[in-house]
Amino acid sequence: MISEEKLKILTESAKYDVSCSSSGSNRKNEGGTGNGYVAGCCHSFTPDGRCISLLKMLLSNDCIFRCKYCMSRADSDVPRVTATPEEVCELVMDFYKRNYIEGLFLSSAVHRSPDYAMEQLLVTVKKLRTEYHFHGYIHLKGIPHADEKLVREAALYADRMSYNIELPSEQSLKLLAPQKSKESLLLPMRQLQRERNIFKAEKRKGHFLPAGQTTQMIVGASPEPDGQILRLTQSLYRVTGLKRVYYSSYMPVVHDSLLPEVPAGERREHRLYQADWLLRFYGFSAEEIVEEDGNLSLELDPKCAWAMRNLHLFPIEVNRAPLEALLRVPGIGARSAYKILEARKYTKLDFSGLKKMRVVLKRARHFITAGGKFYGAEGEAIRGYLGAAEAKQNAVQLSLFSDRETVLSALTGEL
Amino acid sequence: MIYFYDGTQTSFLTAFLLAYGDADAVLTSGSMQLALGEETRFVKADPARAKKAEKRLLALDAGCMEDLSTLLRSGDCDRDMVAMNYMRRIAEQGGPVRNMLADDAVLAAVECMRRVSFEVHRFHGFLRFMESESGALYAPISPDNDIADLLLPHFRKRLPAYPFVIHDVRRKKAAVYDGVNTFVAPLERAEVVLSADETAWQALWKNYYRSVNIPSRERLKQMRGYMPVRYWKFMPEFRGE
Ligand code: SF4
């Protein structure tokens, strides 16, 4: 059994990775233990409000790289530990059968060399799948600069892989993560995506990253504006075919003259997630949301901000508007939009009907008519109401990086 | 007229058939305060009648018996009337009504069903097994709704090699997988002898739980929103040393 001290160190160095989702894989139990849960599943919540879905840890924190923002970097004075593949496998199996976790999120520092670190990750997941017959969820981090053969083989065993872009521009990467380069991160992502497509097209047997790839960007450690970040995000979704982009607002865990001393605002992170949803589920493009060198409004959520710039498109009539238009109404989320589509087949909707259906009207009422009736404010006066409506919701809405949130917001997010 | 029934689906359907014509009918499986002069009737389950009702309703909505089963598992105190009104709407409408979301009776039923299935989903995550000496797994639960057996398929698929017992300590019943079959049985108390390593694994899990938290970002309110305190009781990460 792995020692408490070792697990503590390997967990604490992995916990700032915000992706914890266990969704997207329907891997079956083929004689052994475990299976996928397409919608993802939270097993616990920590006092910081985040979901525990996967056992999130590093295989080793013993790094030869020197990324300025990272406490495992080669020149930092921390205790170094490395777990054996067996220790990790045993831990996963025993946690999993007690239903503590949905699977494993395994990452590693660049231990000895990129190839060595990647190989150790590969050995671990391969062992889990072939010797321990584990069919639960595995998310594996890729090591930049590692041999592509190792990466390709790992993809046969993992449900999801991720290379963290970390910094939204080549320049910042050079400055803060000198051993990484944009290419060392983007090339393996593109390679994996290409091979995943081929794998699917040829209907090959087995699995090749059924839950796809994700990435993460640190926000606020470097000067890139939201407009630039969201354009990068958009191309990662559209061109590279990623499933999710995570944002993690910068927290100073190490001190360096090149890094800001203060944590980045969580509100900015929150706004980026909202904009990200608009890209993925609401049919918006990055260009509609914010100009390239601009930042998202902290005062209004991005959908409200967009609507305020496009008041000439409103109000729309809920009994007639097509789905795409409903989805663009501030305060009407995907779930409400679908409810409206269903319910209006049977009856003409008025405001009391909408209320009964639990459609939140605080913001929406300024942008819709129901049965020809309008109860909103006009023009710029709306702005004040929108800000106030959000302030009330904040207790529940802030922080978006828990797994249940991912799932529910996709379905119910009332943006 | 107040119709008392025993909470089972057969008994519900028997009562439903009897009460259908009575616009003021009240259906209940619990105890209730009777007003003076209130007429009451105790309905005994009648399989033949229940079958008849079931057939008629199924002809109108092929999914309605599943809905009914879900509704009758609810721990809400008004679930009998919610179920009654919902089934009545199906009969009146002559077809499925579940998408008529501006209808009060439908909305009440849909929300009640959602609470039940949401709790099933929650327990897929929040349930905690402990390992016994024999290797079988044991999980005590105390859910709001009567869902122990609904958890069987999920865990059986996931852990086919481990016999397990999911013990609803509130309703004193157990959903069991013996390694081959699943079944439900009454269970008052369980004596579990833990395996040699069980305590150590629980300690390691608590240690992990503490390490993965980011203390500078404390959001207890949100945490409790996602995982209400009533579910913590059987989770090792919330039990003191
Ligand atoms: S590669 Fe960079 S981010 Fe990763 S562990 Fe090493 S120093 Fe930290």
Side-chain angles (χ1 to χ4, degrees):
Chain A
M1 194 183 290
I2 192 170
S3 78
E4 292 205 5
E5 190 51 29
K6 208 185 224 187
L7 180 60
K8 181 166 184 263
I9 292 170
L10 294 173
T11 301
E12 285 188 337
S13 353
K15 71 179 170 189
Y16 295 99
D17 208 302
V18 291
S19 66
C20 69
S21 164
S22 57
S23 59
S25 173
N26 59 357
R27 190 181 290 270
K28 301 267 176 321
N29 185 327
E30 290 151 1
T33 297
N35 53 9
Y37 197 123
V38 178
C41 185
C42 286
H43 287 254
S44 194
F45 287 87
T46 33
D48 55 15
R50 298 196 299 170
C51 145
I52 298 184
S53 188
L54 305 174
L55 167 65
K56 197 188 289 186
M57 64 185 289
L58 300 185
L59 196 53
S60 169
N61 74 338
D62 195 353
C63 199
I64 58 167
F65 278 16
R66 268 180 248 102
C67 307
K68 298 262 188 276
Y69 47 82
C70 174
M71 59 182 178
S72 304
R73 70 189 195 284
D75 51 346
S76 112
D77 181 23
V78 292
R80 304 289 173 174
V81 292
T82 300
T84 65
E86 287 76 18
E87 279 174 331
V88 175
C89 292
E90 195 198 22
L91 185 59
V92 169
M93 297 308 287
D94 270 275
F95 274 13
Y96 191 87
K97 80 173 181 204
R98 288 171 175 78
N99 206 39
Y100 298 164
I101 53 168
E102 200 54 29
L104 173 66
F105 176 106
L106 190 63
S107 175
S108 179
V110 186
H111 185 207
R112 296 191 200 169
S113 73
D115 282 352
Y116 182 81
M118 190 70 224
E119 194 169 9
Q120 290 303 300
L121 289 176
L122 170 60
V123 167
T124 309
V125 290
K126 189 170 177 179
K127 207 180 245 311
L128 254 180
R129 292 287 194 225
T130 59
E131 289 174 34
Y132 289 79
H133 303 288
F134 177 70
H135 304 291
Y137 198 90
I138 299 179
H139 180 149
L140 199 63
K141 277 273 284 289
I143 306 289
H145 299 294
D147 186 338
E148 64 178 68
K149 278 207 289 296
L150 296 170
V151 176
R152 186 180 306 135
E153 194 181 351
L156 296 171
Y157 301 105
D159 291 286
R160 172 169 278 179
M161 279 186 75
S162 60
Y163 282 85
N164 283 357
I165 289 187
E166 304 291 20
L167 298 158
S169 79
E170 175 88 70
Q171 225 173 345
S172 297
L173 213 51
K174 262 208 192 98
L175 199 62
L176 299 176
Q179 286 92 349
K180 293 177 182 168
S181 65
K182 206 169 144 200
E183 293 310 303
S184 71
L185 302 166
L186 286 176
L187 284 182
M189 282 198 236
R190 291 198 196 117
Q191 177 212 331
L192 284 173
Q193 207 54 31
R194 250 194 325 272
E195 287 175 20
R196 185 168 183 263
N197 291 339
I198 297 173
F199 192 91
K200 271 179 146 173
E202 295 180 354
K203 298 203 168 79
R204 287 198 212 150
K205 263 199 136 131
H207 303 274
F208 195 97
L209 302 183
Q213 298 186 74
T214 61
T215 191
Q216 172 177 321
M217 281 186 251
I218 305 172
V219 178
S222 52
E224 295 78 10
D226 296 341
Q228 190 180 338
I229 294 176
L230 285 172
R231 275 162 185 75
L232 176 56
T233 297
Q234 178 167 279
S235 99
L236 289 168
Y237 286 140
R238 290 187 184 168
V239 184
T240 321
L242 291 204
K243 285 280 195 269
R244 281 272 338 240
V245 175
Y246 291 91
Y247 311 88
S248 127
S249 59
Y250 172 69
M251 264 187 272
V253 284
V254 290
H255 298 282
D256 191 291
S257 59
L258 292 173
L259 289 168
E261 284 297 320
V262 287
E266 287 177 40
R267 174 157 293 239
R268 182 172 176 207
E269 175 189 299
H270 180 57
R271 289 287 184 244
L272 280 167
Y273 275 110
Q274 289 180 317
D276 187 271
W277 284 331
L278 295 185
L279 293 178
R280 287 186 299 145
F281 302 113
Y282 292 82
F284 283 83
S285 69
E287 291 73 21
E288 287 176 292
I289 298 171
V290 60
E291 60 275 26
E292 180 147 23
D293 55 359
N295 280 311
L296 295 167
S297 153
L298 293 180
E299 175 210 0
L300 292 183
D301 74 58
K303 204 201 232 180
C304 283
W306 172 84
M308 288 307 294
R309 289 195 301 273
N310 292 278
L311 281 177
H312 60 281
L313 301 174
F314 297 103
I316 60 164
E317 168 57 45
V318 290
N319 286 290
R320 277 194 312 271
L323 177 63
E324 307 79 69
L326 286 174
L327 285 174
R328 288 183 169 234
V329 175
I332 293 192
R335 187 191 165 111
S336 292
Y338 287 104
K339 274 202 281 197
I340 289 171
L341 284 193
E342 269 309 321
R344 76 187 187 188
K345 287 188 201 154
Y346 301 93
T347 171
K348 190 166 165 188
L349 295 171
D350 56 15
F351 274 94
S352 79
L354 291 172
K355 251 200 206 123
K356 254 197 259 166
M357 291 158 57
R358 308 276 151 88
V359 174
V360 184
L361 295 168
K362 268 218 177 70
R363 275 166 289 167
R365 69 190 168 101
H366 305 291
F367 302 95
I368 55 171
T369 58
K373 293 248 168 30
F374 179 69
Y375 289 115
E378 307 256 3
E380 277 303 308
I382 299 173
R383 196 175 287 274
Y385 291 104
L386 294 178
E390 188 184 48
K392 277 198 142 170
Q393 283 192 349
N394 259 344
V396 254
Q397 280 236 334
L398 270 176
S399 174
L400 295 127
F401 49 102
S402 56
D403 195 50
R404 169 147 300 145
E405 182 100 22
T406 311
V407 178
L408 287 186
S409 63
L411 302 166
T412 71
E414 309 291 336
L415 265 177
Chain B
M1 173 94 78
I2 298 174
Y3 298 81
F4 286 94
Y5 82 107
D6 66 10
T8 63
Q9 194 155 324
T10 312
S11 161
F12 176 92
L13 287 165
T14 314
F16 179 72
L17 213 56
L18 288 169
Y20 184 71
D22 174 359
D24 303 319
V26 171
L27 206 72
T28 178
S29 57
S31 56
M32 69 185 301
Q33 290 245 297
L34 292 178
L36 215 58
E38 191 91 69
E39 278 189 86
T40 58
R41 182 162 176 180
F42 290 84
V43 180
K44 234 184 94 208
D46 178 341
R49 279 197 182 196
K51 198 87 224 143
K52 204 168 107 192
E54 182 179 327
K55 241 173 110 181
R56 273 203 226 158
L57 286 161
L58 277 176
L60 303 177
D61 175 355
C64 70
M65 284 303 128
E66 228 166 277
D67 288 354
L68 179 60
S69 153
T70 307
L71 288 170
L72 295 184
R73 289 167 179 282
S74 164
D76 300 355
C77 51
D78 60 350
R79 60 133 203 232
D80 298 313
M81 284 313 288
V82 169
M84 165 93 181
N85 293 336
Y86 179 66
M87 300 316 275
R88 203 193 271 280
R89 290 296 289 125
I90 294 173
E92 286 164 3
Q93 190 71 19
V97 296
R98 64 179 65 75
N99 288 328
M100 296 169 56
L101 292 173
D103 183 294
D104 289 322
V106 175
L107 193 70
V110 166
E111 294 200 336
C112 179
M113 288 189 276
R114 211 185 44 215
R115 277 192 293 276
V116 175
S117 37
F118 186 44
E119 195 178 40
V120 171
H121 174 72
R122 273 182 157 160
F123 271 102
H124 287 163
F126 299 161
L127 176 142
R128 292 288 179 269
F129 282 119
M130 45 189 118
E131 188 186 52
S132 71
E133 215 178 10
S134 70
L137 303 171
Y138 172 78
I141 59 172
S142 178
D144 299 340
N145 308 293
D146 186 4
I147 55 166
D149 55 316
L150 295 184
L151 298 169
L152 285 169
H154 172 81
F155 289 106
R156 179 193 182 156
K157 249 187 251 151
R158 180 161 278 213
L159 303 168
Y162 302 93
F164 61 76
V165 175
I166 297 172
H167 188 185
D168 182 339
V169 294
R170 188 192 302 189
R171 291 172 188 81
K172 301 193 187 344
K173 63 193 228 178
V176 182
Y177 168 60
D178 62 9
V180 184
N181 298 304
T182 56
F183 57 90
V184 179
L187 180 64
E188 187 87 19
R189 276 171 47 96
E191 296 288 344
V192 182
V193 183
L194 297 180
S195 71
D197 287 346
E198 178 58 25
T199 328
W201 284 113
Q202 288 191 13
L204 203 56
W205 167 243
K206 282 195 220 179
N207 168 61
Y208 175 77
Y209 179 85
R210 272 194 305 272
S211 312
V212 80
N213 182 41
I214 302 178
S216 63
R217 281 197 163 186
E218 183 165 291
R219 292 211 196 92
L220 290 171
K221 211 172 142 191
Q222 184 181 323
M223 170 202 183
R224 293 197 191 103
Y226 288 128
M227 189 173 57
V229 178
R230 63 180 185 281
Y231 293 117
W232 297 11
K233 194 164 156 202
F234 299 111
M235 304 172 93
E237 60 267 41
F238 300 113
R239 281 208 304 267
E241 305 304 301

mmCIF file of all heavy atoms in Angstrom, chain A residues 13 58 60-74 80 107-111 141 143-144 166 176-177 179-180, ligand 1:
data_model
loop_
_atom_site.group_PDB
_atom_site.id
_atom_site.type_symbol
_atom_site.label_atom_id
_atom_site.label_comp_id
_atom_site.label_asym_id
_atom_site.label_seq_id
_atom_site.Cartn_x
_atom_site.Cartn_y
_atom_site.Cartn_z
ATOM 1 N N SER A 13 0.596 18.045 -5.622
ATOM 2 C CA SER A 13 1.191 18.636 -6.815
ATOM 3 C C SER A 13 0.300 18.469 -8.038
ATOM 4 O O SER A 13 0.586 19.033 -9.086
ATOM 5 C CB SER A 13 2.573 18.049 -7.107
ATOM 6 O OG SER A 13 3.016 17.210 -6.087
ATOM 7 N N LEU A 58 0.071 12.642 -9.414
ATOM 8 C CA LEU A 58 1.239 12.518 -10.280
ATOM 9 C C LEU A 58 1.879 11.164 -10.018
ATOM 10 O O LEU A 58 1.790 10.630 -8.915
ATOM 11 C CB LEU A 58 2.280 13.594 -9.965
ATOM 12 C CG LEU A 58 1.917 15.063 -10.094
ATOM 13 C CD1 LEU A 58 3.161 15.911 -9.851
ATOM 14 C CD2 LEU A 58 1.351 15.368 -11.463
ATOM 15 N N SER A 60 5.119 11.003 -10.542
ATOM 16 C CA SER A 60 6.343 11.513 -9.937
ATOM 17 C C SER A 60 6.299 13.035 -9.940
ATOM 18 O O SER A 60 5.738 13.634 -10.855
ATOM 19 C CB SER A 60 7.549 11.039 -10.755
ATOM 20 O OG SER A 60 8.705 11.725 -10.323
ATOM 21 N N ASN A 61 6.889 13.664 -8.918
ATOM 22 C CA ASN A 61 6.992 15.131 -8.941
ATOM 23 C C ASN A 61 8.452 15.558 -9.148
ATOM 24 O O ASN A 61 8.811 16.703 -8.928
ATOM 25 C CB ASN A 61 6.419 15.741 -7.654
ATOM 26 C CG ASN A 61 7.329 15.535 -6.461
ATOM 27 O OD1 ASN A 61 8.165 14.630 -6.462
ATOM 28 N ND2 ASN A 61 7.169 16.358 -5.437
ATOM 29 N N ASP A 62 9.262 14.613 -9.594
ATOM 30 C CA ASP A 62 10.699 14.838 -9.737
ATOM 31 C C ASP A 62 10.977 15.320 -11.161
ATOM 32 O O ASP A 62 11.121 14.521 -12.079
ATOM 33 C CB ASP A 62 11.412 13.507 -9.454
ATOM 34 C CG ASP A 62 12.890 13.709 -9.226
ATOM 35 O OD1 ASP A 62 13.378 14.833 -9.413
ATOM 36 O OD2 ASP A 62 13.551 12.717 -8.873
ATOM 37 N N CYS A 63 11.071 16.642 -11.341
ATOM 38 C CA CYS A 63 11.038 17.199 -12.695
ATOM 39 C C CYS A 63 12.394 17.753 -13.143
ATOM 40 O O CYS A 63 13.123 18.337 -12.362
ATOM 41 C CB CYS A 63 9.990 18.296 -12.777
ATOM 42 S SG CYS A 63 9.507 18.631 -14.476
ATOM 43 N N ILE A 64 12.681 17.571 -14.440
ATOM 44 C CA ILE A 64 13.890 18.196 -14.988
ATOM 45 C C ILE A 64 13.564 19.525 -15.677
ATOM 46 O O ILE A 64 14.455 20.251 -16.079
ATOM 47 C CB ILE A 64 14.621 17.266 -15.993
ATOM 48 C CG1 ILE A 64 13.676 16.879 -17.138
ATOM 49 C CG2 ILE A 64 15.153 16.019 -15.301
ATOM 50 C CD1 ILE A 64 14.400 16.236 -18.322
ATOM 51 N N PHE A 65 12.294 19.823 -15.849
ATOM 52 C CA PHE A 65 11.907 21.091 -16.477
ATOM 53 C C PHE A 65 11.814 22.189 -15.430
ATOM 54 O O PHE A 65 11.757 21.919 -14.229
ATOM 55 C CB PHE A 65 10.561 20.957 -17.189
ATOM 56 C CG PHE A 65 10.657 20.341 -18.557
ATOM 57 C CD1 PHE A 65 11.781 19.648 -18.961
ATOM 58 C CD2 PHE A 65 9.586 20.457 -19.449
ATOM 59 C CE1 PHE A 65 11.855 19.077 -20.220
ATOM 60 C CE2 PHE A 65 9.660 19.885 -20.711
ATOM 61 C CZ PHE A 65 10.783 19.193 -21.098
ATOM 62 N N ARG A 66 11.761 23.423 -15.921
ATOM 63 C CA ARG A 66 11.708 24.563 -15.003
ATOM 64 C C ARG A 66 10.600 25.530 -15.392
ATOM 65 O O ARG A 66 10.870 26.644 -15.821
ATOM 66 C CB ARG A 66 13.064 25.266 -14.980
ATOM 67 C CG ARG A 66 13.990 24.746 -13.889
ATOM 68 C CD ARG A 66 15.315 25.440 -13.886
ATOM 69 N NE ARG A 66 16.365 24.521 -14.284
ATOM 70 C CZ ARG A 66 16.934 24.478 -15.478
ATOM 71 N NH1 ARG A 66 16.585 25.330 -16.411
ATOM 72 N NH2 ARG A 66 17.862 23.584 -15.747
ATOM 73 N N CYS A 67 9.358 25.107 -15.255
ATOM 74 C CA CYS A 67 8.256 26.023 -15.527
ATOM 75 C C CYS A 67 8.105 26.916 -14.303
ATOM 76 O O CYS A 67 7.967 26.424 -13.183
ATOM 77 C CB CYS A 67 6.972 25.253 -15.786
ATOM 78 S SG CYS A 67 7.163 24.000 -17.067
ATOM 79 N N LYS A 68 8.135 28.211 -14.540
ATOM 80 C CA LYS A 68 8.225 29.175 -13.445
ATOM 81 C C LYS A 68 7.091 29.068 -12.426
ATOM 82 O O LYS A 68 7.262 29.314 -11.248
ATOM 83 C CB LYS A 68 8.229 30.588 -14.019
ATOM 84 C CG LYS A 68 9.413 30.868 -14.921
ATOM 85 C CD LYS A 68 10.492 31.599 -14.151
ATOM 86 C CE LYS A 68 11.606 32.077 -15.047
ATOM 87 N NZ LYS A 68 12.625 31.074 -15.339
ATOM 88 N N TYR A 69 5.890 28.730 -12.915
ATOM 89 C CA TYR A 69 4.709 28.769 -12.063
ATOM 90 C C TYR A 69 4.499 27.486 -11.268
ATOM 91 O O TYR A 69 3.547 27.362 -10.513
ATOM 92 C CB TYR A 69 3.460 29.028 -12.931
ATOM 93 C CG TYR A 69 3.436 28.135 -14.158
ATOM 94 C CD1 TYR A 69 2.980 26.823 -14.075
ATOM 95 C CD2 TYR A 69 3.923 28.593 -15.384
ATOM 96 C CE1 TYR A 69 3.000 25.998 -15.181
ATOM 97 C CE2 TYR A 69 3.942 27.764 -16.493
ATOM 98 C CZ TYR A 69 3.481 26.472 -16.384
ATOM 99 O OH TYR A 69 3.510 25.642 -17.478
ATOM 100 N N CYS A 70 5.391 26.509 -11.437
ATOM 101 C CA CYS A 70 5.099 25.176 -10.905
ATOM 102 C C CYS A 70 5.975 24.840 -9.710
ATOM 103 O O CYS A 70 7.183 25.055 -9.722
ATOM 104 C CB CYS A 70 5.318 24.140 -12.000
ATOM 105 S SG CYS A 70 5.147 22.453 -11.424
ATOM 106 N N MET A 71 5.354 24.263 -8.686
ATOM 107 C CA MET A 71 6.151 23.977 -7.497
ATOM 108 C C MET A 71 6.992 22.709 -7.638
ATOM 109 O O MET A 71 7.848 22.441 -6.809
ATOM 110 C CB MET A 71 5.277 23.938 -6.250
ATOM 111 C CG MET A 71 4.169 22.927 -6.257
ATOM 112 S SD MET A 71 3.224 23.093 -4.718
ATOM 113 C CE MET A 71 1.965 21.866 -4.958
ATOM 114 N N SER A 72 6.778 21.944 -8.691
ATOM 115 C CA SER A 72 7.614 20.755 -8.891
ATOM 116 C C SER A 72 8.823 21.042 -9.771
ATOM 117 O O SER A 72 9.589 20.133 -10.088
ATOM 118 C CB SER A 72 6.798 19.639 -9.554
ATOM 119 O OG SER A 72 5.659 19.336 -8.808
ATOM 120 N N ARG A 73 9.004 22.265 -10.209
ATOM 121 C CA ARG A 73 10.090 22.558 -11.155
ATOM 122 C C ARG A 73 11.451 22.184 -10.566
ATOM 123 O O ARG A 73 11.641 22.181 -9.347
ATOM 124 C CB ARG A 73 10.056 24.028 -11.567
ATOM 125 C CG ARG A 73 10.451 24.976 -10.481
ATOM 126 C CD ARG A 73 10.175 26.415 -10.908
ATOM 127 N NE ARG A 73 10.874 27.331 -10.021
ATOM 128 C CZ ARG A 73 10.462 27.607 -8.791
ATOM 129 N NH1 ARG A 73 9.356 27.048 -8.307
ATOM 130 N NH2 ARG A 73 11.154 28.419 -8.033
ATOM 131 N N ALA A 74 12.414 21.894 -11.471
ATOM 132 C CA ALA A 74 13.689 21.305 -11.072
ATOM 133 C C ALA A 74 14.411 22.081 -9.983
ATOM 134 O O ALA A 74 15.037 21.499 -9.104
ATOM 135 C CB ALA A 74 14.589 21.170 -12.302
ATOM 136 N N ARG A 80 11.047 15.092 -3.138
ATOM 137 C CA ARG A 80 10.742 14.423 -4.412
ATOM 138 C C ARG A 80 10.321 12.986 -4.161
ATOM 139 O O ARG A 80 10.997 12.254 -3.445
ATOM 140 C CB ARG A 80 11.977 14.428 -5.312
ATOM 141 C CG ARG A 80 12.557 15.797 -5.582
ATOM 142 C CD ARG A 80 11.669 16.611 -6.482
ATOM 143 N NE ARG A 80 12.142 17.986 -6.621
ATOM 144 C CZ ARG A 80 11.604 18.872 -7.450
ATOM 145 N NH1 ARG A 80 10.564 18.544 -8.197
ATOM 146 N NH2 ARG A 80 12.074 20.090 -7.520
ATOM 147 N N SER A 107 -0.939 11.976 -14.061
ATOM 148 C CA SER A 107 -0.049 12.912 -14.716
ATOM 149 C C SER A 107 1.344 12.643 -14.175
ATOM 150 O O SER A 107 1.523 11.821 -13.286
ATOM 151 C CB SER A 107 -0.533 14.314 -14.376
ATOM 152 O OG SER A 107 0.346 15.270 -14.891
ATOM 153 N N SER A 108 2.330 13.335 -14.713
ATOM 154 C CA SER A 108 3.661 13.168 -14.152
ATOM 155 C C SER A 108 4.507 14.386 -14.463
ATOM 156 O O SER A 108 4.302 15.060 -15.474
ATOM 157 C CB SER A 108 4.335 11.924 -14.736
ATOM 158 O OG SER A 108 5.644 11.806 -14.188
ATOM 159 N N ALA A 109 5.450 14.648 -13.588
ATOM 160 C CA ALA A 109 6.488 15.612 -13.915
ATOM 161 C C ALA A 109 7.378 14.961 -14.969
ATOM 162 O O ALA A 109 7.279 13.759 -15.229
ATOM 163 C CB ALA A 109 7.305 15.936 -12.668
ATOM 164 N N VAL A 110 8.239 15.752 -15.594
ATOM 165 C CA VAL A 110 9.170 15.178 -16.566
ATOM 166 C C VAL A 110 10.313 14.538 -15.791
ATOM 167 O O VAL A 110 11.331 15.136 -15.519
ATOM 168 C CB VAL A 110 9.688 16.252 -17.545
ATOM 169 C CG1 VAL A 110 10.545 15.601 -18.625
ATOM 170 C CG2 VAL A 110 8.521 16.980 -18.186
ATOM 171 N N HIS A 111 10.081 13.301 -15.438
ATOM 172 C CA HIS A 111 10.999 12.559 -14.587
ATOM 173 C C HIS A 111 12.107 11.956 -15.451
ATOM 174 O O HIS A 111 11.821 11.194 -16.371
ATOM 175 C CB HIS A 111 10.206 11.464 -13.859
ATOM 176 C CG HIS A 111 11.010 10.704 -12.864
ATOM 177 N ND1 HIS A 111 10.714 9.411 -12.522
ATOM 178 C CD2 HIS A 111 12.084 11.051 -12.139
ATOM 179 C CE1 HIS A 111 11.581 8.986 -11.622
ATOM 180 N NE2 HIS A 111 12.426 9.962 -11.371
ATOM 181 N N LYS A 141 -2.289 12.386 -18.702
ATOM 182 C CA LYS A 141 -1.652 13.589 -19.231
ATOM 183 C C LYS A 141 -0.511 13.173 -20.144
ATOM 184 O O LYS A 141 0.216 12.226 -19.854
ATOM 185 C CB LYS A 141 -1.073 14.417 -18.079
ATOM 186 C CG LYS A 141 -2.078 15.297 -17.416
ATOM 187 C CD LYS A 141 -2.219 16.653 -18.102
ATOM 188 C CE LYS A 141 -1.069 17.579 -17.800
ATOM 189 N NZ LYS A 141 -1.066 18.059 -16.431
ATOM 190 N N ILE A 143 3.156 13.839 -21.974
ATOM 191 C CA ILE A 143 4.387 14.556 -21.647
ATOM 192 C C ILE A 143 4.917 15.206 -22.927
ATOM 193 O O ILE A 143 5.131 14.511 -23.922
ATOM 194 C CB ILE A 143 5.455 13.566 -21.111
ATOM 195 C CG1 ILE A 143 4.899 12.763 -19.938
ATOM 196 C CG2 ILE A 143 6.734 14.309 -20.744
ATOM 197 C CD1 ILE A 143 4.702 13.552 -18.675
ATOM 198 N N PRO A 144 5.118 16.527 -22.915
ATOM 199 C CA PRO A 144 5.628 17.187 -24.120
ATOM 200 C C PRO A 144 7.007 16.636 -24.493
ATOM 201 O O PRO A 144 7.785 16.264 -23.616
ATOM 202 C CB PRO A 144 5.699 18.669 -23.727
ATOM 203 C CG PRO A 144 5.480 18.733 -22.257
ATOM 204 C CD PRO A 144 4.835 17.474 -21.830
ATOM 205 N N GLU A 166 -1.391 25.496 -21.079
ATOM 206 C CA GLU A 166 -0.928 26.345 -19.962
ATOM 207 C C GLU A 166 -0.963 27.835 -20.270
ATOM 208 O O GLU A 166 -1.675 28.574 -19.638
ATOM 209 C CB GLU A 166 0.480 25.958 -19.490
ATOM 210 C CG GLU A 166 0.621 24.504 -19.073
ATOM 211 C CD GLU A 166 -0.122 24.138 -17.807
ATOM 212 O OE1 GLU A 166 -1.049 24.864 -17.418
ATOM 213 O OE2 GLU A 166 0.202 23.087 -17.204
ATOM 214 N N LEU A 176 7.821 31.678 -19.489
ATOM 215 C CA LEU A 176 7.467 31.039 -18.218
ATOM 216 C C LEU A 176 7.654 29.525 -18.215
ATOM 217 O O LEU A 176 7.755 28.911 -17.156
ATOM 218 C CB LEU A 176 6.018 31.377 -17.851
ATOM 219 C CG LEU A 176 5.723 32.877 -17.660
ATOM 220 C CD1 LEU A 176 4.246 33.103 -17.387
ATOM 221 C CD2 LEU A 176 6.561 33.453 -16.531
ATOM 222 N N ALA A 177 7.652 28.914 -19.376
ATOM 223 C CA ALA A 177 7.864 27.461 -19.440
ATOM 224 C C ALA A 177 8.872 27.181 -20.541
ATOM 225 O O ALA A 177 8.545 26.631 -21.584
ATOM 226 C CB ALA A 177 6.545 26.740 -19.713
ATOM 227 N N GLN A 179 11.172 25.157 -21.405
ATOM 228 C CA GLN A 179 11.446 23.879 -22.074
ATOM 229 C C GLN A 179 10.267 23.384 -22.894
ATOM 230 O O GLN A 179 10.377 22.423 -23.640
ATOM 231 C CB GLN A 179 11.838 22.789 -21.064
ATOM 232 C CG GLN A 179 13.229 22.940 -20.517
ATOM 233 C CD GLN A 179 13.222 23.752 -19.227
ATOM 234 O OE1 GLN A 179 12.209 24.356 -18.859
ATOM 235 N NE2 GLN A 179 14.349 23.790 -18.536
ATOM 236 N N LYS A 180 9.116 24.009 -22.706
ATOM 237 C CA LYS A 180 7.975 23.607 -23.528
ATOM 238 C C LYS A 180 7.889 24.561 -24.708
ATOM 239 O O LYS A 180 8.394 25.663 -24.661
ATOM 240 C CB LYS A 180 6.679 23.691 -22.708
ATOM 241 C CG LYS A 180 6.625 22.676 -21.583
ATOM 242 C CD LYS A 180 5.361 22.841 -20.766
ATOM 243 C CE LYS A 180 5.338 21.861 -19.604
ATOM 244 N NZ LYS A 180 4.277 22.178 -18.635
HETATM 245 S S1 SF4 C 1 7.018 20.108 -16.742
HETATM 246 FE FE1 SF4 C 1 6.756 22.127 -15.872
HETATM 247 S S2 SF4 C 1 4.629 22.096 -15.117
HETATM 248 FE FE2 SF4 C 1 5.218 19.976 -15.455
HETATM 249 S S3 SF4 C 1 5.976 19.288 -13.463
HETATM 250 FE FE3 SF4 C 1 7.745 19.980 -14.635
HETATM 251 S S4 SF4 C 1 8.000 22.075 -14.034
HETATM 252 FE FE4 SF4 C 1 5.957 21.496 -13.396
#
